[in-house]
Amino acid sequence: MGEYRSSSSVCYVILASLLISCTIGEDPYRFYNWNVTYGDIYPLGIKQQGILINGQFPGPQIESVTNDNLVINVFNSLDEPFLLSWNGIQQRRNSWQDGVYGTNCPIPPGKNFTYVLQVKDQIGSYFYFPSLTFHKAAGGFGGFKIASRSVIPVPFPPPAGDFTVLAGDWFKKNHTDLKAILDGGNDLPFPDGLLINGRGSNGYTFTVDQGKTYRFRISNVGLTTSINFRIQGHKMLLVEVEGTHSLQNTYDSLDVHLGQSYSVLVTADQLAKDYYIVVSTRFTSQVLTATSILHYSNSGTSVSGPPPGGPTIEVDWSLEQARSLRRNLSASGPRPNPQGSYHYGMINTTHTIRLANAAPVINGKQRYCVNSVSFIQPDTPLKLADYFNISGVFSLGSIPDNPTGGSGYLQTAVMNADFRGFAEIVFENAEEFVQSWHIDGHSFFVVGMDGGQWTPASRLTYNLRDTISRCTVQVYPNSWTAIYMPLDNVGMWNIRSENWVRQYLGQQLYLRVYSPANSWRDEYPIPKNALLCGRALGRRTRPL
């Protein structure tokens, strides 16, 4: 009997050692508990109903490190369904956590949902936002930072401080009123102002020490308008674009289109006083401006006079700046290998997709479309319908791969793509309007952009050596933008206009990246806590 107990003890010791080693070897976990409520906010000086997270507008900043596991418990205290999405977070093998209606059931009022996601092999500056209906117009957004692991070198010295700048246009009307305007078939009026970190002009101060260098992470979280960002009397050294270390060019001002994020280094190398930080609208006949304060800690002089002006409607200026964005080929990314070791320009594309935006009137109402299709939300999230094989929710190929030139029509648009393909996607914009496109679950190479009509001969102008890699890209008026994208992430992924009016009124689609292997190696199984709705009600996720 004693010998048996001794053998058992040895087994238990071995098992315990294995469990401890597995636990030690696992990437760290970070836990967040968020309560989403309505609250009074005064961003432009009048009271509005805002969406707060833990009483904050903007919401709490997410601080993480490459490969961290994030457990974010979101309790919905609103009187309507709610979802959060994570702009630029790739959700590797895990579109279940993407937080858009095509992948997730909304969180019902008075209920909670726990997102479990990993920032796998990512670094950089991003943001989160509410993705349902027109909630983004009420707040609910916040910064999302992914720092590099300590063992991976970063191509610049550690800054003395790290600031998040969430800027964008804002309306004085509540989000419910704005939604009603759109539901009535009308477009929104011009925005009422711009905000920086939830506040109007001079409502926010960034304090710096003279002689030190600081990192500013800038995101355009607005609804309808590109912006230009600048700091009075100071140069900006660009170091990161949505997770890619960039060639370190110096800029006096930087265009930030809807949904985009940048990191710049700013050295406090001027006289000790206060300076304007300025954002202003781009490509608009009426120019809106908002300011914050760059305050030197030893300053005795407040800002005075007008803030410095910036570009307004100059498209060529913006295009040349966009073309100047390059990858830092000698820098490591989230892994210890140089970013330039991935020779995207030497990979044969397997699929060319051309996506043209337009603004048709359908059934007497203003809509927006892609390749003539104006997206309508299904009664069941597409990912759930695909997983449970529920017929009648969507059809693969319900949007063509190329512009048709036909009239606009309503459809739940889903495009099919094969896992491990390498797609060329051309965004074509024949409108007098700057477009901004985002693709969930992926980072892509911006190989070309120019005015006029794209043709196969346009490929001769592509940058196939060191272009920037990102997740959101602009398309200028009467122009095209081409990207190369590795289809390396199985799932159901949203491709959308970052202009939230256009997204809400149909300018989006879903890309189903499919692997026939049905393996956990390619895609995680449905989460046990997945919310079920629509025609997926009554189904089972997985056994406990």
Side-chain angles (χ1 to χ4, degrees), residues 3 8 18 22 76 86 111 120 122 153 184 191 198 209 306 333-334 353 363 383 417 445 465 470 478 523:
E3 184 177 345
S8 283
L18 287 171
C22 288
N76 179 16
W86 323 92
K111 303 293 183 182
K120 180 68 174 172
Q122 283 192 265
D209 293 332
I353 301 168
N363 299 330
K383 184 63 183 172
F445 302 92
R465 180 179 180 271
R470 63 187 317 167
N478 300 301
E523 184 179 30

Side-chain angles (χ1 to χ4, degrees), residues 397-409:
S398 46
I399 178 171
D401 288 0
N402 293 282
T404 65
S407 301
Y409 59 95

